[in-house]
Amino acid sequence: MKKIMLILAITLTANMAKADDLSDGWAAKDNGDYATVLNLWKPLAEQGNAEAQFVLGNLYDYGEGVNQDYREAVRLYRLAADQGHADAQHNLGLMYANGWGVLQDNKKAHMWFNIARSNGSYWADDNIKSITQRMTPADISKAQDMAERCLASNYQDC
């Protein structure tokens, strides 16, 4: 019993530390202290924290505190998107729509925007409307099928 309580206490303490690092990271980002953001959130991202992966993706996407690197942004967004992070899914759609860090692909952009919308992304609707203007009805249907397959596979078949 003591061993179980010790494991629970360690786990709770680690989770609280992660929450503090996320909170401190947001404060640092708001202040433009990107070195602190990277210091706090890079380990969290490497441990699989979707929010940290998303925000680090943003840093690489916009070149905030790091050299702009669209491929690294895509990699980080994808890690977060595969965990259901709606904003990362939306940003992946933007990357595919614009060909930033990936080959430009309207169907994949539409797919990620649809997935993001299904997960509550605020911006997805406007971007779906925009991208559909560049697509044929057949391509739109294919993109919707791709989104359904991705969601049904829990982001394994995207």
Side-chain angles (χ1 to χ4, degrees), residues 21 48 84 88 106 108 114 147 149:
D21 286 350
N106 291 335
K108 284 189 178 180
N114 270 288
R149 192 169 51 251

Side-chain angles (χ1 to χ4, degrees), residues 95-121:
M95 302 307 267
Y96 279 103
N98 294 296
W100 296 333
V102 292
L103 291 175
Q104 195 279 333
D105 187 326
N106 291 335
K107 286 182 284 212
K108 284 189 178 180
H110 195 285
M111 176 195 77
W112 281 113
F113 290 145
N114 270 288
I115 293 165
R117 176 175 57 191
S118 74
N119 287 316
S121 174

